[in-house]
Amino acid sequence: MYFIFVILIFKKQFNMQRFKYPFHSKLHEVPTSIFAVMSAVANEYKAINLSQGFPNFNSDPKLIALVNKAMLNGHNQYAPMPGIFSLRDAIAKKMDNLYNVSYNPETEITITAGATQAIFTALAATIKKDDEVIIFKPAYDCYEPTIELFGGKTIAVQLDPEVFTVNWEEVKALITDKTKMIIINTPHNPSGNVLSREDMLQLEALLQDTNILLLSDEVYEHIIFDGIQHQTAALFPGLAERAFITASFGKIFHNTGWKTGYCIAPAEMMKEFRKVHQFNVFSVNHPIQVALAEYIKTPENYLGLSLFYQRKRDLFLSYMKTSRFEFEPSKGTYFQLMSFKNITDESDYNFAVRLIKEKKVASIPISVFNEPNYDTKVLRFCFAKTDESLKKAAEILCAI
Ligand SMILES: Cc1ncc(COP(=O)(O)O)c(C=O)c1O
């Protein structure tokens, strides 16, 4: 009896011991990503999922065949740490052909596990405690937690909720001697807005004579509409000299699940990037790199993308013409914002959840990308979906 009692006391002590060192979250204010939340509810209610940003159609069978071929040909072990040379070389040639800029594939381009890893690694390599990083809200959701993880402080500029343009004077006023980096994203998720040449020149002028770094998230580079030209940071010498440019093959080739992308930066910056990259993922999926190196050599494989998605945008908007939602056509990305202020006073989050549960259409409430609680009664719909899905979703939305 006494023995059992001792065991019980010991167990109690042991359990207490387990709670003696509570786990202190490094990201205590970060909930599960809204994309995961909305997709889970959409699956539960079998809704048409226009929430998360991925196509519901397949990648080109030729590209899939190239991956199979690469596997059968034995490219199944670790790839070189910065990525296979032929893919880096193809990216350098693409930059040269499209923008007439020169990047050294040996020292200035690294293949990553999607743009998210490129962004994470660029921030990990540069942001120290108390460094300030300026971002524009609404913002893609990985920037802020990653900045915080490395002890940095996010300085958010809330964009105009109607036009999403940047007030560069406002940005100038926020620059301090602690400003380490500015993050831009063009074409912009979720607004679909794009930065103009004039914007980039203003940014260039603002950063002149400073040591501020730039992270230019350009994952939607090839999804830009109505003849607008993408203004990569690489085109502006005063930006290129300080810029990590991040890109995503998943967005270009309809295979977000393959998680491949890349980062471009001047050699000195890329050296630091690779110091982190080698202990972060070390190297990226080898057969997919072999396949991409071949596939990307044909410019039509990515240059047709803008027209492809412009047609989808126009189709979706033509179906939505009779709805009570209000919208301005997206200028880039595969997202379309829609205001529901004529429909209900509900919060965007509640309305988005109700749309899934009652109407079986999933979207993303954009307040989650904004400064806390800034609800402009706008939802984001992803039109990287089959024509049939877009038609069905629009029919439902028009009946609201
Ligand atoms: C603006 C932006 N940046 C980065 C990413 C991440 O890209 P990847 O899937 O290649 O990690 C996304 C994905 O939705 C995005 O919208």
Side-chain angles (χ1 to χ4, degrees):
M1 182 66 189
Y2 175 74
F3 184 62
I4 292 172
F5 182 70
V6 169
I7 288 182
L8 283 176
I9 294 281
F10 178 78
K11 261 186 96 178
K12 199 168 173 221
Q13 288 284 344
F14 178 71
N15 282 340
M16 279 173 71
Q17 231 7 54
R18 286 173 64 196
F19 287 97
K20 195 171 166 193
Y21 303 104
F23 185 76
H24 289 293
S25 171
K26 287 184 78 179
L27 290 173
H28 53 281
E29 277 172 16
V30 174
T32 305
S33 137
I34 188 71
F35 310 115
V37 173
M38 285 300 171
S39 278
V41 188
N43 286 340
E44 188 186 338
Y45 285 86
K46 298 195 172 30
I48 304 171
N49 192 354
L50 306 193
S51 63
Q52 208 167 352
F54 60 82
N56 70 346
F57 41 86
N58 221 344
S59 202
D60 185 348
K62 277 191 232 147
L63 178 54
I64 293 173
L66 284 171
V67 177
N68 286 335
K69 192 171 130 200
M71 286 181 173
L72 292 170
N73 284 346
H75 297 286
N76 298 307
Q77 310 309 329
Y78 293 127
M81 184 270 278
I84 62 168
F85 183 78
S86 54
L87 181 53
R88 286 182 279 138
D89 194 43
I91 293 166
K93 292 204 167 88
K94 172 171 159 315
M95 292 301 285
D96 191 11
N97 291 341
L98 287 182
Y99 307 114
N100 195 21
V101 292
S102 163
Y103 280 93
N104 183 339
E106 284 289 7
T107 54
E108 299 185 313
I109 299 174
T110 299
I111 310 302
T112 60
T116 311
Q117 186 239 312
I119 294 163
F120 187 93
T121 304
L123 290 169
T126 54
I127 301 307
K128 297 197 189 106
K129 193 170 176 324
D130 298 331
D131 282 345
E132 294 181 357
V133 182
I134 297 178
I135 70 168
F136 298 94
K137 295 236 176 161
Y140 184 61
D141 67 347
C142 78
Y143 309 148
E144 204 167 347
T146 313
I147 294 164
E148 192 188 324
L149 201 56
F150 297 103
K153 189 172 166 207
T154 303
I155 308 294
V157 180
Q158 179 66 50
L159 298 176
D160 179 304
E162 300 286 332
V163 286
F164 299 96
T165 47
V166 180
N167 176 344
W168 293 107
E169 282 305 313
E170 192 183 342
V171 180
K172 192 174 177 182
L174 290 172
I175 291 181
T176 70
D177 54 3
K178 288 190 177 161
T179 309
K180 184 66 174 272
M181 181 185 272
I182 296 185
I183 301 182
I184 56 171
N185 168 216
T186 183
H188 179 242
N189 175 13
S191 74
N193 201 18
V194 295
L195 292 177
S196 65
R197 184 175 154 73
E198 186 51 36
D199 282 313
M200 299 303 265
L201 288 172
Q202 292 211 48
L203 177 60
E204 192 178 38
L206 201 67
L207 297 185
Q208 201 181 8
D209 302 325
T210 73
N211 291 328
I212 300 171
L213 299 172
L214 179 69
L215 195 160
S216 187
D217 180 354
E218 303 184 12
V219 298
Y220 300 103
E221 166 189 11
H222 296 299
I223 311 181
I224 185 159
F225 309 133
D226 307 316
I228 302 173
Q229 295 297 309
H230 173 60
Q231 302 296 328
T232 171
L235 281 171
F236 303 84
L239 297 181
E241 66 185 11
R242 63 182 81 232
F244 291 105
I245 299 174
T246 55
S248 168
F249 288 117
K251 300 289 180 188
I252 311 176
F253 297 134
H254 316 311
N255 47 38
T256 56
W258 292 4
K259 291 301 295 183
T260 39
Y262 57 94
C263 181
I264 301 179
E268 278 307 298
M269 289 167 67
M270 187 49 77
K271 202 167 139 193
E272 295 306 308
F273 181 98
R274 286 182 184 171
K275 283 183 191 169
V276 177
H277 176 79
Q278 67 179 334
F279 298 117
N280 181 359
V281 289
F282 172 58
S283 76
V284 173
N285 192 308
H286 196 167
I288 287 177
Q289 290 192 57
V290 173
L292 287 170
E294 188 56 36
Y295 192 72
I296 202 177
K297 278 187 198 151
T298 309
E300 292 72 41
N301 286 337
Y302 50 87
L303 291 182
L305 209 62
S306 288
L307 274 185
F308 173 83
Y309 276 120
Q310 187 173 317
R311 194 196 68 80
K312 284 208 177 282
R313 177 200 67 177
D314 292 346
L315 190 73
F316 183 48
L317 295 188
S318 73
Y319 292 144
M320 289 294 291
K321 241 190 209 151
T322 59
S323 84
R324 289 196 290 153
F325 286 89
E326 287 183 332
F327 47 84
E328 277 299 318
S330 168
K331 293 182 182 146
T333 75
Y334 43 49
F335 302 113
Q336 177 64 52
L337 295 188
M338 303 235 169
S339 163
F340 59 89
K341 66 176 189 291
N342 291 339
I343 300 175
T344 170
D345 286 341
E346 277 165 280
S347 73
D348 62 352
Y349 186 86
N350 287 350
F351 184 50
V353 171
R354 192 162 69 80
L355 269 186
I356 298 177
K357 292 186 177 172
E358 293 178 10
K359 305 292 177 186
K360 311 264 180 283
V361 176
S363 59
I364 296 283
I366 80 147
S367 61
V368 298
F369 301 94
N370 280 335
E371 280 297 84
N373 307 321
Y374 191 43
D375 176 4
T376 52
K377 312 286 176 219
V378 170
L379 299 179
R380 188 198 78 175
F381 294 90
C382 172
F383 54 82
K385 307 293 164 185
T386 60
D387 293 357
E388 195 197 355
S389 307
L390 294 175
K391 184 162 190 262
K392 265 197 207 157
E395 275 167 7
I396 297 169
L397 295 170
C398 284
I400 292 170

